[in-house]
Amino acid sequence: MINRKVNSVQEALEGIESGMTIMLGGFGLCGIPENSIAQLVQMEVNNLTCISNNAGVDDFGLGLLLQKRQIKKMISSYVGENAEFERQMLSGELEVELTPQGTLAEKCRAAQAGIPAFFTPAGYGTEVAEGKEVREFNGKMHILEHAFKADFAIVKAWKGDEAGNLIFKGTARNFNAPMAGAGKITNRFEMASQIFRCGTSIGANIKEAQNAESKADFIHKFKISAKEADELQYWLELCMKSEFYPNPSEELLNKLKSINLIISKIISSSKNK
């Protein structure tokens, strides 16, 4: 199996060059890949096109790249907290493409899903729509937006495994989730917590499921289909094997078995319908 783990931020950013287009996750200062941004400053790459919900603040996040004049163009939805950004935009030093926030998210998701373009009503009748194709759907005007094309997507996750599967925590999920997989290469270095051996990331879900007291409670927590239940049961059975938990406690094994039993009931009731 391919191991996507890297040992340093320097290794994670190998291949990034001047003139590239880079997606950066985060909302405000929540969930931003600050270590990777700091490394980009050290690398002295320039003429970058950065796709991010916002442009950081003067002395943190993307603000550090702006101070060094390393960003040529910003594609964002909100830029109101960075005085240096404002100065460069008004002086013409920085090219800026303001995008409605929902459209920004969808352009990321479309790139992630391999969808080249989509129609949205957001921005119709404003400067956002200038030069774009317009069509009417159900009596409402829409404009054509194209998916982003980024060389790198740099995201920050809470946990992950060696195969590159990621778990995001709370509001830090924000733009990180739709940007992961939306670039030609996704940087997965910025793990705030830990990296599991491949297959064990289900452990994070197990912790959340430990308090599931009934089939209905479990369905409410995970909203899973019968097919998804089958897959989850498979992973739980793997987790109970020693290759994933070398010294499993009796308490952990009992919890895994309890969850496995609930899933078995879900699968059984689905097949009897």
Side-chain angles (χ1 to χ4, degrees):
M1 181 177 289
I2 296 175
N3 188 334
R4 300 184 184 278
K5 181 180 176 182
V6 294
N7 297 311
S8 67
V9 66
Q10 291 85 358
E11 184 181 344
L13 298 183
E14 283 182 3
I16 293 185
E17 300 174 354
S18 295
M20 283 188 166
T21 297
I22 302 174
M23 288 181 171
L24 299 108
F27 186 99
L29 299 181
C30 178
I32 67 170
E34 67 271 14
N35 294 323
S36 293
I37 293 172
Q39 180 59 25
L40 288 173
V41 173
Q42 295 297 317
M43 290 168 62
E44 297 184 345
V45 289
N46 52 43
N47 290 320
L48 297 173
T49 295
C50 291
I51 301 167
S52 177
N53 180 62
N54 53 287
V57 293
D58 288 334
D59 56 357
F60 194 68
L62 288 177
L64 298 176
L65 289 170
L66 285 167
Q67 285 181 5
K68 298 289 186 178
R69 311 291 193 277
Q70 290 172 265
I71 300 176
K72 175 186 69 175
K73 179 179 180 179
M74 276 297 310
I75 301 175
S76 302
S77 70
Y78 175 72
V79 294
E81 296 179 7
N82 192 317
E84 178 60 21
F85 177 97
E86 180 184 10
R87 190 197 66 75
Q88 289 187 29
M89 181 179 71
L90 294 176
S91 68
E93 297 175 44
L94 179 68
E95 185 180 349
V96 178
E97 183 179 319
L98 291 176
T99 304
Q101 194 168 82
T103 302
L104 185 77
E106 187 63 11
K107 284 162 78 77
C108 294
R109 193 196 68 83
Q112 187 184 64
I115 298 170
F118 59 92
F119 281 96
T120 175
Y124 174 73
T126 71
E127 292 182 9
V128 171
E130 290 181 4
K132 297 177 181 177
E133 181 180 343
V134 177
R135 288 193 189 182
E136 182 178 343
F137 295 95
N138 300 320
K140 194 170 186 178
M141 304 306 293
H142 293 67
I143 60 176
L144 181 67
E145 294 281 5
H146 290 83
F148 285 130
K149 294 180 180 179
D151 298 296
F152 270 77
I154 304 178
V155 301
K156 182 173 183 176
W158 177 45
K159 294 182 180 181
D161 64 21
E162 293 171 343
N165 300 301
L166 303 176
I167 299 173
F168 302 97
K169 184 176 182 179
T171 54
R173 177 181 180 86
N174 51 63
F175 279 85
N176 284 297
M179 285 184 175
K184 293 178 183 177
I185 298 175
T186 298
N187 168 301
R188 301 176 180 85
F189 175 77
E190 296 240 355
M191 302 293 176
S193 181
Q194 65 214 65
I195 298 177
F196 292 96
R197 287 182 57 195
C198 202
T200 61
S201 57
I202 191 67
N205 284 340
I206 291 170
K207 286 184 179 179
E208 290 185 30
Q210 285 172 1
N211 297 322
E213 298 176 354
S214 66
K215 179 176 72 175
D217 190 19
F218 193 91
I219 292 173
H220 175 71
K221 272 180 175 290
F222 292 97
K223 297 180 175 64
I224 59 175
S225 66
K227 180 180 178 182
E228 290 169 331
D230 271 320
E231 294 174 353
L232 188 52
Q233 186 177 45
Y234 167 76
W235 281 108
L236 282 167
E237 289 170 353
L238 281 181
C239 285
M240 284 187 276
K241 295 181 179 179
S242 60
E243 63 181 290
F244 292 109
Y245 288 96
N247 299 298
S249 66
E250 185 176 348
E251 181 185 11
L252 175 60
L253 283 175
N254 288 335
K255 287 177 178 177
L256 288 169
K257 289 174 182 176
S258 297
I259 297 168
N260 203 27
L261 180 62
I262 295 171
I263 297 172
S264 296
K265 290 179 180 179
I266 295 172
I267 295 171
S268 177
S269 64
S270 300
K271 290 178 179 177
N272 292 331
K273 286 182 181 179

